[in-house]
Amino acid sequence: MKYLNINFIFQKTILLLLISSLMACNSNSKAVDVSETKIPEKPNILFILVDDLGYADLSIMGSSYYETPNIDKIAESGTIFTDGYAACTVCSPSRASLMTGQYPARHGITQFEGKRNSGQSWKQRKRYTKLLPPEYKHHLDSSSITLPEAFKEQGYATFFAGKWHLGGKEQRSLPTDHGFDVNIGGYNAGGPSGGYFSPFKNPYLPNLPEEKGLNLSMKLAQETSKFIKENKDNHFLAYLSFYAVHSGIQTTKEKWTKYRDKAEKMGIQEEGFEMERVLPARKYQDNPVYAGLIEHVDDAIGTVMKTLKDLGLDKNTIIVFTSDNGGVTSGDNFSTNQLTLRGGKGYQWEGGIRIPYFIDIPWIKQDGASINVPVSGVDLFPTLLDLSGLPLKPEAHKDGVSLKPLLLGEEIDERPLYWHYPHYGNQGGEPSSIIRKGKWKLIYYWEDLQAELYNLETDLGERNNLAESNPEIADQMKTQLLDWLETMDTHYAEVDPEWDKAAREKWLEKQKNVTLPRQEKQRKKMLSPDWKPNKDWWGSELNKSE
């Protein structure tokens, strides 16, 4: 296999230029035109959530490798929040925050569902960590007032398709237990059971013989389009929650070929990984399977957008597009790289929490206006109520604020954003809590009770820890963070009295000496012209073989 000596640094340059240009448009941007607009009564809502999609995993957000024309159109028509954040570094907590408008520290789901994620049972994972993660809620509380419940109360038809991961039938915590009239494919699973091609191993997603080999993302889009057609004369909330681009990643032979060839033209580097603090991290966007999986999602979204347009509903439907956490640079399938941002899913740095965050309101001329005010997933619940002319529910979405003023070119009060993740992430994240206030971000680590302080205006890559050189700012933010945590009924990791430091150091050395070379080998195989994952390309060619 030939490896070219062309550096991928231009990818990072593109993202830096993009962020700089987007941030040049401030919170009261005049690009938003509200003149001569007629606000419809009870507009429809299409909420699109892509799992594990990173901030830089879209062409409009700086990627020169991934191709996402349909998603880009949402951003180009709507508003881009350049400093949009997920409420957590991993999925379930963030998803619960989207549903409730509350931070994980408040609603209690601080980690994804798993029996070996806390207390002494955590030691079964053999990570040999200093701390034992705390217990936490494993499903959405029935007492929580959710986004779909609020809309259903106002006469909306509500629909859910895709990944739920907030409990299942046993806990009475399916989507239909929390305000959705229809549930297609949502239960307690966090990944695509059975893979991304039909037949699916999902108890809430029936398999049809004629759909054999159909891509899961397209299946969810088709079900969403079906719901929209059936409710074209009603007010509706359609929540399309893709399982993609979660591991294990899969695509078709055609899309793999397209992106393998593209990677070769861009220049394939000899070494594709480097060690982060805990695990190896992907250095470049050059994964052809992941790129194909992203394009599957984009194709699926294009189908739903066409349905809206064909029915004449595109002028009466608010569209939200976002992700539940950063892209996977370490762990899982080591799928992507976030260019200038440090880390990815699970990590406490920007790559783990900063995400694509677009809102398109068709009766307001936005044309890709950008807003650099820090916003969170907790804000979407009150924002959608406000944009729809419905009463807010401050007793429910206690941590979110309506972003409607920003979307109308006005301002909102400055406020801090908070994160609390007292766990170890599968991707290398450490037990920590975070506060972002203005340009400053402080990360407080629970292992050693030390802090990192970053100026995100000058150091978006979080490489220059300013905690020692700016002790007053660090102390002030730390105090504010800890004071806020005191107001939450939350839990903290505790020191393992039997901690074996030597065993931990041995495990870390293994990641460097075994995991990293293994990932390098897998990457080179996947980029080889004669690579074949299996006989039928994960089932995508089932129909072709008959």
Side-chain angles (χ1 to χ4, degrees), residues 228-513:
I228 290 173
K229 292 174 183 177
E230 292 173 347
N231 290 273
K232 60 184 176 61
D233 297 321
N234 301 327
H235 309 298
F236 63 79
L237 164 65
Y239 201 104
L240 175 54
S241 176
F242 290 101
Y243 277 96
V245 287
H246 192 282
S247 63
I249 57 174
Q250 298 173 345
T251 190
T252 60
K253 182 177 181 180
E254 290 76 14
K255 290 190 187 299
W256 168 81
T257 300
K258 171 183 175 178
Y259 286 103
R260 195 220 71 85
D261 293 349
K262 186 173 183 178
E264 186 169 62
K265 290 178 181 178
M266 293 174 67
I268 299 175
Q269 300 297 295
E270 178 65 29
E271 295 183 352
F273 289 87
E274 60 186 354
M275 283 302 299
E276 200 20 289
R277 188 177 289 172
V278 176
L279 291 175
R282 198 175 195 98
K283 295 171 66 175
Y284 312 114
Q285 292 185 348
D286 62 355
N287 185 330
V289 174
Y290 185 72
L293 183 56
I294 288 178
E295 188 172 302
H296 284 301
V297 172
D298 190 76
D299 291 342
I301 290 173
T303 296
V304 179
M305 301 298 288
K306 184 178 185 300
T307 298
L308 289 175
K309 187 173 183 179
D310 289 348
L311 295 174
L313 297 175
D314 54 323
K315 304 301 182 184
N316 188 35
T317 302
I318 299 169
I319 300 175
V320 169
F321 178 90
T322 192
S323 175
D324 58 350
N325 48 247
V328 182
T329 59
S330 300
D332 300 347
N333 279 123
F334 297 81
S335 300
T336 188
N337 173 274
Q338 293 310 299
L339 306 183
T340 58
L341 305 185
R342 184 177 180 183
K345 176 183 178 180
Y347 281 111
Q348 55 276 6
W349 300 298
E350 290 294 281
I353 54 178
R354 193 181 285 224
I355 53 172
Y357 196 119
F358 313 145
I359 301 177
D360 183 16
I361 311 164
W363 57 90
I364 298 177
K365 186 178 180 181
Q366 299 163 279
D367 294 338
S370 62
I371 294 174
N372 64 3
V373 175
V375 298
S376 168
V378 299
D379 299 324
L380 289 170
F381 187 166
T383 298
L384 289 174
L385 287 177
D386 205 5
L387 289 172
S388 302
L390 303 179
L392 299 186
K393 291 183 174 291
E395 75 285 359
H397 46 73
K398 296 179 180 179
D399 298 312
V401 302
S402 173
L403 306 180
K404 181 179 178 180
L406 294 177
L407 291 161
L408 296 180
E410 301 168 1
E411 296 181 352
I412 61 173
D413 293 337
E414 185 178 79
R415 56 177 176 147
L417 297 182
Y418 297 102
W419 293 262
H420 180 57
Y421 185 65
H423 305 274
Y424 291 93
N426 289 342
Q427 304 79 18
E430 302 160 69
S432 58
S433 300
I434 305 169
I435 178 174
R436 164 138 191 212
K437 190 175 182 181
K439 65 183 180 180
W440 296 102
K441 175 184 174 183
L442 181 132
I443 306 170
Y444 186 70
Y445 292 91
W446 293 104
E447 274 196 357
D448 57 11
L449 306 183
Q450 297 298 308
E452 293 173 356
L453 177 69
Y454 299 105
N455 181 342
L456 296 181
E457 282 189 359
T458 59
D459 181 24
L460 193 60
E462 295 171 288
R463 299 294 178 182
N464 187 18
N465 180 6
L466 302 176
E468 290 188 6
S469 59
N470 292 267
E472 291 185 4
I473 295 175
D475 289 344
Q476 182 185 39
M477 294 186 70
K478 173 187 168 184
T479 298
Q480 187 171 1
L481 173 62
L482 297 180
D483 286 348
W484 175 79
L485 285 169
E486 282 292 314
T487 68
M488 299 289 107
D489 183 20
T490 192
H491 304 280
Y492 304 87
E494 297 181 355
V495 175
D496 180 1
E498 300 175 342
W499 180 50
D500 186 340
K501 183 178 180 181
R504 175 63 174 175
E505 291 177 346
K506 183 178 180 180
W507 184 87
L508 291 172
E509 280 296 309
K510 181 180 178 181
Q511 309 317 306
K512 180 179 179 180
N513 298 323

Side-chain angles (χ1 to χ4, degrees), residues 76-214:
E76 290 165 351
S77 175
T79 295
I80 301 170
F81 287 85
T82 63
D83 293 42
Y85 289 98
C88 188
T89 64
V90 296
C91 55
S92 295
S94 180
R95 289 168 176 270
S97 293
L98 291 172
M99 284 290 134
T100 64
Q102 299 177 11
Y103 287 123
R106 187 184 299 277
H107 60 60
I109 304 176
T110 54
Q111 174 68 307
F112 66 89
E113 186 172 354
K115 295 181 179 179
R116 295 187 295 159
N117 282 340
S118 57
Q120 288 293 325
S121 61
W122 166 251
K123 296 167 75 170
Q124 297 175 19
R125 291 183 177 265
K126 297 183 179 181
R127 306 288 176 85
Y128 309 105
T129 58
K130 181 178 180 179
L131 303 181
L132 295 177
E135 296 292 340
Y136 60 98
K137 291 182 180 179
H138 287 252
H139 64 275
L140 194 58
D141 198 311
S142 60
S143 64
S144 299
I145 300 173
T146 64
L147 173 70
E149 287 173 339
F151 276 88
K152 188 174 181 178
E153 184 181 88
Q154 297 295 323
Y156 276 69
T158 56
F159 169 89
F160 182 90
K163 175 174 173 175
W164 177 244
H165 209 196
L166 293 174
K169 184 177 180 179
E170 291 183 1
Q171 300 97 345
R172 296 183 179 179
S173 189
L174 291 168
T176 46
D177 295 310
H178 294 284
F180 287 106
D181 299 321
V182 180
N183 169 37
I184 303 293
Y187 64 122
N188 58 0
S193 300
Y196 281 104
F197 298 94
S198 177
F200 311 112
K201 296 180 180 179
N202 184 320
Y204 297 92
L205 192 63
N207 290 297
L208 301 177
E210 63 270 22
E211 293 179 342
K212 187 182 293 185
L214 178 67

